[in-house]
Amino acid sequence: MLVLALDTTTRQGSVALARDGVLVAVYAGDAGTTHGERLPGDALQALTAHALRVSDVDVFAVASGPGSFTGLRIGIATMQGLALANGKPLVGISALDALNALVCALSPQPLALSPSDEVCTWMDAQRSQVFSAVYANGVATESPVVEKPADILARWRRDGRLPRVFAGDGALVYRELIYRAQPQAQIIDPLPPLAPAIATLAEAYVQQRGPALPDEIRPLYIRRSDAELARERKAEAPGAEPTSRVGRPA
């Protein structure tokens, strides 16, 4: 099974090719250009470099979020187009799940995780916030949230829990805050590209649940968009006329 995986949740992003569970190649993107400028070129170049065509891909995979609204839309639309044009399945993978898989793949070097060890995945959500989720033994023990890092750490302290391992660009940004709360914390640095973990999880998904249709994928935003918040503030403003809304917000 040949999997082409794409991550656009960060400015740099990455592309990976994997065949039957073995990584063939991984390419980190150029953070100096936008995803819109690089795609679908980056994905097509990865295939060409290995004498492969788009039609050779069995499964397309993409990070479904969380991340920037623009990056997610471009990444998902790119892979939907390739999958639909070639009649192949497309699997959306949570970037937080992929981060956890990445950490588990590093064990036992440099980490030796026991089944009880919790892994915290933090992605920089801007606005002094992080997208956060917690895992133990490969299973999520805290669902994804978007909060200020200090508030998350304070909540964990009240609950008597504090993960030992942290991964993600959010963990790197708030490294000092983490160490003040948990001096024994291990922060994954440098952070490998995410696309290989996305490919691994996508292949496992297809093997366990069967192929997914490209138009079934839904972005994992967690945070509401600025446009939605602006509409809400306008509707709540004094003197605003009631409005009816049909369907999902744009």
Side-chain angles (χ1 to χ4, degrees), residues 68-160:
S68 76
F69 290 91
T70 301
L72 292 179
R73 286 194 294 266
I74 292 173
I76 290 173
T78 296
M79 297 306 264
Q80 279 181 323
L82 294 176
L84 285 168
N86 290 273
K88 300 294 177 65
L90 171 63
V91 180
I93 298 294
S94 160
L96 295 167
D97 288 352
L99 275 170
N100 176 66
L102 184 155
V103 172
C104 294
L106 293 176
S107 300
Q109 298 293 334
L111 301 173
L113 294 175
S114 69
S116 62
D117 282 333
E118 288 192 313
V119 175
C120 173
T121 56
W122 273 11
M123 297 177 63
D124 186 10
Q126 305 299 317
R127 306 178 191 175
S128 300
Q129 294 180 320
V130 294
F131 298 114
S132 171
V134 183
Y135 302 81
N137 200 25
V139 177
T141 57
E142 181 174 284
S143 299
V145 297
V146 56
E147 288 185 75
K148 291 183 177 181
D151 292 344
I152 296 174
L153 294 170
R155 172 165 52 81
W156 287 344
R157 188 161 50 247
R158 291 193 302 270
D159 294 343

Side-chain angles (χ1 to χ4, degrees), residues 177-234:
L177 190 65
I178 293 171
Y179 283 141
R180 285 199 297 271
Q182 168 61 295
Q184 305 304 315
Q186 297 186 54
I187 299 175
I188 307 301
D189 186 16
L191 189 68
L194 207 54
I198 293 170
T200 299
L201 292 178
E203 181 171 344
Y205 180 98
V206 172
Q207 291 175 340
Q208 295 168 10
R209 305 185 189 183
L213 297 176
D215 58 0
E216 291 179 346
I217 189 171
R218 295 292 181 269
L220 175 62
Y221 286 135
I222 301 181
R223 172 196 283 153
R224 290 182 296 169
S225 69
D226 289 340
E228 184 179 0
L229 293 173
R231 286 196 298 266
E232 184 176 286
R233 286 193 295 268
K234 183 177 180 181

